[in-house]
Amino acid sequence: MKIELSEYDAAWPGLYQRERERIVAALPDAELEHVGSTSVPGLCAKPLIDMMLVVDDPRDEASYVPALEAAGYRVTVREDDWHDHRILKGPDTKVNLHVFPRGCAQVRRHLVFRDWLRVNDDDRELYALTKRELVARARERERVQDYAAAKREVVLEILERAFLAWRPSSDDVEYVTETPAGDVRITLEDYNPAWPDWYAREEERIRGALGSEVVRLEHVGSTSVPGLAAKPLIDILLVVPDSDDEDAYVPALVEAGYCLRLREPGWYRHRLLKDSDPEVNLHVFSPACEEVDRMLAFRDRLRTNVEDRAEYEAVKRELATRGWERVQDYADGKTRVVERIVLRALG
């Protein structure tokens, strides 16, 4: 299939609006966005309107597909192994309607990329130039997927800059128990095969304390990645029905030996609890939280990709040679490499 690029067409937003009205008539509460190159004024694009629909569960097609089919849409792609992604085609406009679950990190990825290109002239021009060069070199038999794959490196490069600029502030922090600032030294250890056992003991303790309040419990962070050097600290991801409802889980965890360290209401309603034997960071989030998706994507990428694991470890070892005012400053120093690897994981 030959890829054809068109100069930006001022009619594209109107086509999106028409499709939006059609979809909202079928699904009145639809959470819908115009994404892709046709959503960026001044950017050349394939003349195809990409739209993104966010639902609770894309696999529950009965909750949205019949209504869309009645409006003329049809399902053409199902990817249960990739964020439960669906694509529907429109009735008369060239449309790709992408469906993702609420809390999926792909949603933020699409919006950050779009919004960055709308305001950053240099990266918009870089992306346009890359697309034009690829189209000029393309052969007739190349598929749309081949064209998309060829753009991947420049997309990741732009996304890395976009996410570093977008990244939500961590200033909205309420410390419940304080740790004095000072000359913090980071001590990394080679991977210890006992770390999964440490996590298993903590998992048993948490489940025993909370019972059915546990929606999800995962070993995350560097100690969850075989072969990766780490601080001997077990990072645990806990999803509860509502992280703001501390009465439902904090007292039971305190009774089990944890202490509430901090609240970050502006950062995904995050709570952090700690223990010291072994040292544990227990991160608490609510369901349908994109940070949960990102943390698991990062862990799974490091578990399966030797090159990314080596890149991450090299950065950590270099940062560990420095002195830090706070442990958080060391974590902030890893932001760029973490963001890069997460974006590779998301594809």
Side-chain angles (χ1 to χ4, degrees), residues 316-336:
K316 294 206 308 173
R317 289 192 181 279
E318 192 280 323
L319 292 173
T321 64
R322 310 181 197 175
W324 301 92
E325 186 74 7
R326 304 173 304 156
V327 173
Q328 184 59 45
D329 297 330
Y330 163 75
D332 291 343
K334 298 186 296 181
T335 296
R336 182 177 289 275

PDB file of all heavy atoms in Angstrom, residues 316-336:
ATOM      1  N   LYS A 316      22.064   4.306  36.933  1.00  0.00           N
ATOM      2  CA  LYS A 316      21.961   4.223  38.387  1.00  0.00           C
ATOM      3  C   LYS A 316      23.333   4.191  39.051  1.00  0.00           C
ATOM      4  O   LYS A 316      23.560   4.855  40.079  1.00  0.00           O
ATOM      5  CB  LYS A 316      21.155   2.977  38.781  1.00  0.00           C
ATOM      6  CG  LYS A 316      19.702   3.025  38.355  1.00  0.00           C
ATOM      7  CD  LYS A 316      18.808   2.181  39.229  1.00  0.00           C
ATOM      8  CE  LYS A 316      19.266   0.775  39.393  1.00  0.00           C
ATOM      9  NZ  LYS A 316      18.423   0.064  40.390  1.00  0.00           N
ATOM     10  N   ARG A 317      24.238   3.415  38.496  1.00  0.00           N
ATOM     11  CA  ARG A 317      25.563   3.317  39.102  1.00  0.00           C
ATOM     12  C   ARG A 317      26.294   4.658  39.053  1.00  0.00           C
ATOM     13  O   ARG A 317      27.005   5.020  40.001  1.00  0.00           O
ATOM     14  CB  ARG A 317      26.376   2.214  38.416  1.00  0.00           C
ATOM     15  CG  ARG A 317      25.874   0.800  38.746  1.00  0.00           C
ATOM     16  CD  ARG A 317      26.863  -0.258  38.301  1.00  0.00           C
ATOM     17  NE  ARG A 317      26.414  -1.604  38.576  1.00  0.00           N
ATOM     18  CZ  ARG A 317      26.497  -2.221  39.750  1.00  0.00           C
ATOM     19  NH1 ARG A 317      27.003  -1.569  40.795  1.00  0.00           N
ATOM     20  NH2 ARG A 317      26.079  -3.465  39.908  1.00  0.00           N
ATOM     21  N   GLU A 318      26.124   5.389  37.951  1.00  0.00           N
ATOM     22  CA  GLU A 318      26.776   6.697  37.865  1.00  0.00           C
ATOM     23  C   GLU A 318      26.174   7.659  38.879  1.00  0.00           C
ATOM     24  O   GLU A 318      26.897   8.386  39.583  1.00  0.00           O
ATOM     25  CB  GLU A 318      26.628   7.251  36.452  1.00  0.00           C
ATOM     26  CG  GLU A 318      27.510   8.463  36.154  1.00  0.00           C
ATOM     27  CD  GLU A 318      26.944   9.759  36.705  1.00  0.00           C
ATOM     28  OE1 GLU A 318      25.694   9.927  36.679  1.00  0.00           O
ATOM     29  OE2 GLU A 318      27.729  10.607  37.196  1.00  0.00           O
ATOM     30  N   LEU A 319      24.851   7.679  39.002  1.00  0.00           N
ATOM     31  CA  LEU A 319      24.197   8.580  39.948  1.00  0.00           C
ATOM     32  C   LEU A 319      24.549   8.219  41.392  1.00  0.00           C
ATOM     33  O   LEU A 319      24.633   9.098  42.261  1.00  0.00           O
ATOM     34  CB  LEU A 319      22.679   8.526  39.755  1.00  0.00           C
ATOM     35  CG  LEU A 319      22.144   9.105  38.442  1.00  0.00           C
ATOM     36  CD1 LEU A 319      20.644   8.836  38.318  1.00  0.00           C
ATOM     37  CD2 LEU A 319      22.415  10.602  38.351  1.00  0.00           C
ATOM     38  N   ALA A 320      24.763   6.936  41.649  1.00  0.00           N
ATOM     39  CA  ALA A 320      25.076   6.493  43.008  1.00  0.00           C
ATOM     40  C   ALA A 320      26.445   6.964  43.480  1.00  0.00           C
ATOM     41  O   ALA A 320      26.740   6.920  44.677  1.00  0.00           O
ATOM     42  CB  ALA A 320      24.990   4.972  43.100  1.00  0.00           C
ATOM     43  N   THR A 321      27.294   7.420  42.559  1.00  0.00           N
ATOM     44  CA  THR A 321      28.609   7.927  42.957  1.00  0.00           C
ATOM     45  C   THR A 321      28.518   9.345  43.525  1.00  0.00           C
ATOM     46  O   THR A 321      29.501   9.848  44.071  1.00  0.00           O
ATOM     47  CB  THR A 321      29.575   7.932  41.760  1.00  0.00           C
ATOM     48  OG1 THR A 321      29.095   8.854  40.760  1.00  0.00           O
ATOM     49  CG2 THR A 321      29.705   6.544  41.153  1.00  0.00           C
ATOM     50  N   ARG A 322      27.371   9.987  43.383  1.00  0.00           N
ATOM     51  CA  ARG A 322      27.224  11.370  43.832  1.00  0.00           C
ATOM     52  C   ARG A 322      26.574  11.421  45.218  1.00  0.00           C
ATOM     53  O   ARG A 322      25.951  10.475  45.670  1.00  0.00           O
ATOM     54  CB  ARG A 322      26.350  12.159  42.854  1.00  0.00           C
ATOM     55  CG  ARG A 322      26.752  12.045  41.383  1.00  0.00           C
ATOM     56  CD  ARG A 322      25.834  12.897  40.539  1.00  0.00           C
ATOM     57  NE  ARG A 322      25.875  12.567  39.135  1.00  0.00           N
ATOM     58  CZ  ARG A 322      25.085  13.114  38.218  1.00  0.00           C
ATOM     59  NH1 ARG A 322      24.198  14.035  38.579  1.00  0.00           N
ATOM     60  NH2 ARG A 322      25.173  12.747  36.948  1.00  0.00           N
ATOM     61  N   GLY A 323      26.710  12.576  45.850  1.00  0.00           N
ATOM     62  CA  GLY A 323      25.982  12.830  47.083  1.00  0.00           C
ATOM     63  C   GLY A 323      24.671  13.530  46.767  1.00  0.00           C
ATOM     64  O   GLY A 323      24.590  14.326  45.826  1.00  0.00           O
ATOM     65  N   TRP A 324      23.628  13.245  47.557  1.00  0.00           N
ATOM     66  CA  TRP A 324      22.312  13.811  47.299  1.00  0.00           C
ATOM     67  C   TRP A 324      21.734  14.386  48.586  1.00  0.00           C
ATOM     68  O   TRP A 324      21.934  13.852  49.673  1.00  0.00           O
ATOM     69  CB  TRP A 324      21.361  12.742  46.747  1.00  0.00           C
ATOM     70  CG  TRP A 324      21.856  12.132  45.469  1.00  0.00           C
ATOM     71  CD1 TRP A 324      22.631  11.008  45.336  1.00  0.00           C
ATOM     72  CD2 TRP A 324      21.666  12.640  44.152  1.00  0.00           C
ATOM     73  NE1 TRP A 324      22.919  10.770  44.016  1.00  0.00           N
ATOM     74  CE2 TRP A 324      22.336  11.757  43.255  1.00  0.00           C
ATOM     75  CE3 TRP A 324      20.986  13.726  43.623  1.00  0.00           C
ATOM     76  CZ2 TRP A 324      22.339  11.943  41.880  1.00  0.00           C
ATOM     77  CZ3 TRP A 324      20.986  13.915  42.242  1.00  0.00           C
ATOM     78  CH2 TRP A 324      21.658  13.035  41.397  1.00  0.00           C
ATOM     79  N   GLU A 325      21.003  15.477  48.441  1.00  0.00           N
ATOM     80  CA  GLU A 325      20.329  16.080  49.584  1.00  0.00           C
ATOM     81  C   GLU A 325      19.202  15.182  50.086  1.00  0.00           C
ATOM     82  O   GLU A 325      18.993  15.044  51.283  1.00  0.00           O
ATOM     83  CB  GLU A 325      19.771  17.457  49.185  1.00  0.00           C
ATOM     84  CG  GLU A 325      19.179  18.264  50.313  1.00  0.00           C
ATOM     85  CD  GLU A 325      20.239  18.851  51.242  1.00  0.00           C
ATOM     86  OE1 GLU A 325      21.438  18.749  50.937  1.00  0.00           O
ATOM     87  OE2 GLU A 325      19.840  19.407  52.284  1.00  0.00           O
ATOM     88  N   ARG A 326      18.462  14.595  49.129  1.00  0.00           N
ATOM     89  CA  ARG A 326      17.349  13.695  49.471  1.00  0.00           C
ATOM     90  C   ARG A 326      17.398  12.489  48.551  1.00  0.00           C
ATOM     91  O   ARG A 326      17.902  12.572  47.418  1.00  0.00           O
ATOM     92  CB  ARG A 326      15.991  14.393  49.283  1.00  0.00           C
ATOM     93  CG  ARG A 326      15.787  15.682  50.044  1.00  0.00           C
ATOM     94  CD  ARG A 326      14.468  16.324  49.611  1.00  0.00           C
ATOM     95  NE  ARG A 326      14.449  16.522  48.163  1.00  0.00           N
ATOM     96  CZ  ARG A 326      13.332  16.623  47.432  1.00  0.00           C
ATOM     97  NH1 ARG A 326      12.159  16.516  48.023  1.00  0.00           N
ATOM     98  NH2 ARG A 326      13.395  16.822  46.123  1.00  0.00           N
ATOM     99  N   VAL A 327      16.820  11.370  48.996  1.00  0.00           N
ATOM    100  CA  VAL A 327      16.714  10.209  48.121  1.00  0.00           C
ATOM    101  C   VAL A 327      15.880  10.552  46.891  1.00  0.00           C
ATOM    102  O   VAL A 327      16.145  10.076  45.785  1.00  0.00           O
ATOM    103  CB  VAL A 327      16.085   9.015  48.875  1.00  0.00           C
ATOM    104  CG1 VAL A 327      15.813   7.851  47.927  1.00  0.00           C
ATOM    105  CG2 VAL A 327      17.005   8.562  50.002  1.00  0.00           C
ATOM    106  N   GLN A 328      14.874  11.425  47.062  1.00  0.00           N
ATOM    107  CA  GLN A 328      14.032  11.814  45.931  1.00  0.00           C
ATOM    108  C   GLN A 328      14.844  12.504  44.843  1.00  0.00           C
ATOM    109  O   GLN A 328      14.529  12.393  43.652  1.00  0.00           O
ATOM    110  CB  GLN A 328      12.900  12.734  46.407  1.00  0.00           C
ATOM    111  CG  GLN A 328      11.900  13.112  45.311  1.00  0.00           C
ATOM    112  CD  GLN A 328      11.228  11.906  44.698  1.00  0.00           C
ATOM    113  OE1 GLN A 328      10.800  11.004  45.411  1.00  0.00           O
ATOM    114  NE2 GLN A 328      11.145  11.865  43.369  1.00  0.00           N
ATOM    115  N   ASP A 329      15.911  13.220  45.233  1.00  0.00           N
ATOM    116  CA  ASP A 329      16.748  13.868  44.229  1.00  0.00           C
ATOM    117  C   ASP A 329      17.451  12.825  43.359  1.00  0.00           C
ATOM    118  O   ASP A 329      17.610  13.014  42.145  1.00  0.00           O
ATOM    119  CB  ASP A 329      17.786  14.763  44.908  1.00  0.00           C
ATOM    120  CG  ASP A 329      17.147  15.907  45.682  1.00  0.00           C
ATOM    121  OD1 ASP A 329      16.057  16.354  45.275  1.00  0.00           O
ATOM    122  OD2 ASP A 329      17.728  16.335  46.700  1.00  0.00           O
ATOM    123  N   TYR A 330      17.878  11.727  43.975  1.00  0.00           N
ATOM    124  CA  TYR A 330      18.461  10.619  43.207  1.00  0.00           C
ATOM    125  C   TYR A 330      17.416  10.037  42.255  1.00  0.00           C
ATOM    126  O   TYR A 330      17.692   9.799  41.072  1.00  0.00           O
ATOM    127  CB  TYR A 330      18.961   9.547  44.172  1.00  0.00           C
ATOM    128  CG  TYR A 330      19.215   8.189  43.554  1.00  0.00           C
ATOM    129  CD1 TYR A 330      20.337   7.946  42.770  1.00  0.00           C
ATOM    130  CD2 TYR A 330      18.318   7.142  43.768  1.00  0.00           C
ATOM    131  CE1 TYR A 330      20.563   6.691  42.205  1.00  0.00           C
ATOM    132  CE2 TYR A 330      18.536   5.890  43.215  1.00  0.00           C
ATOM    133  CZ  TYR A 330      19.657   5.670  42.432  1.00  0.00           C
ATOM    134  OH  TYR A 330      19.883   4.424  41.883  1.00  0.00           O
ATOM    135  N   ALA A 331      16.191   9.846  42.747  1.00  0.00           N
ATOM    136  CA  ALA A 331      15.121   9.315  41.893  1.00  0.00           C
ATOM    137  C   ALA A 331      14.845  10.273  40.734  1.00  0.00           C
ATOM    138  O   ALA A 331      14.655   9.839  39.588  1.00  0.00           O
ATOM    139  CB  ALA A 331      13.858   9.089  42.717  1.00  0.00           C
ATOM    140  N   ASP A 332      14.820  11.580  41.006  1.00  0.00           N
ATOM    141  CA  ASP A 332      14.587  12.561  39.945  1.00  0.00           C
ATOM    142  C   ASP A 332      15.692  12.522  38.900  1.00  0.00           C
ATOM    143  O   ASP A 332      15.459  12.769  37.714  1.00  0.00           O
ATOM    144  CB  ASP A 332      14.469  13.963  40.529  1.00  0.00           C
ATOM    145  CG  ASP A 332      13.198  14.149  41.353  1.00  0.00           C
ATOM    146  OD1 ASP A 332      12.270  13.326  41.212  1.00  0.00           O
ATOM    147  OD2 ASP A 332      13.138  15.117  42.142  1.00  0.00           O
ATOM    148  N   GLY A 333      16.926  12.188  39.333  1.00  0.00           N
ATOM    149  CA  GLY A 333      18.037  12.103  38.394  1.00  0.00           C
ATOM    150  C   GLY A 333      17.870  10.985  37.371  1.00  0.00           C
ATOM    151  O   GLY A 333      18.471  11.019  36.298  1.00  0.00           O
ATOM    152  N   LYS A 334      17.035   9.996  37.715  1.00  0.00           N
ATOM    153  CA  LYS A 334      16.790   8.875  36.809  1.00  0.00           C
ATOM    154  C   LYS A 334      15.626   9.132  35.852  1.00  0.00           C
ATOM    155  O   LYS A 334      15.322   8.287  35.010  1.00  0.00           O
ATOM    156  CB  LYS A 334      16.478   7.607  37.613  1.00  0.00           C
ATOM    157  CG  LYS A 334      17.600   7.139  38.517  1.00  0.00           C
ATOM    158  CD  LYS A 334      17.258   5.807  39.166  1.00  0.00           C
ATOM    159  CE  LYS A 334      16.055   5.921  40.096  1.00  0.00           C
ATOM    160  NZ  LYS A 334      15.725   4.651  40.760  1.00  0.00           N
ATOM    161  N   THR A 335      14.978  10.291  35.979  1.00  0.00           N
ATOM    162  CA  THR A 335      13.729  10.530  35.252  1.00  0.00           C
ATOM    163  C   THR A 335      13.866  10.320  33.753  1.00  0.00           C
ATOM    164  O   THR A 335      13.033   9.664  33.123  1.00  0.00           O
ATOM    165  CB  THR A 335      13.215  11.950  35.535  1.00  0.00           C
ATOM    166  OG1 THR A 335      12.884  12.057  36.916  1.00  0.00           O
ATOM    167  CG2 THR A 335      11.983  12.251  34.699  1.00  0.00           C
ATOM    168  N   ARG A 336      14.922  10.881  33.168  1.00  0.00           N
ATOM    169  CA  ARG A 336      15.036  10.811  31.709  1.00  0.00           C
ATOM    170  C   ARG A 336      15.161   9.375  31.217  1.00  0.00           C
ATOM    171  O   ARG A 336      14.470   8.974  30.275  1.00  0.00           O
ATOM    172  CB  ARG A 336      16.230  11.651  31.226  1.00  0.00           C
ATOM    173  CG  ARG A 336      16.384  11.661  29.698  1.00  0.00           C
ATOM    174  CD  ARG A 336      17.528  12.563  29.253  1.00  0.00           C
ATOM    175  NE  ARG A 336      17.213  13.957  29.440  1.00  0.00           N
ATOM    176  CZ  ARG A 336      16.540  14.704  28.563  1.00  0.00           C
ATOM    177  NH1 ARG A 336      16.091  14.146  27.439  1.00  0.00           N
ATOM    178  NH2 ARG A 336      16.305  15.969  28.795  1.00  0.00           N
TER     179      ARG A 336
END
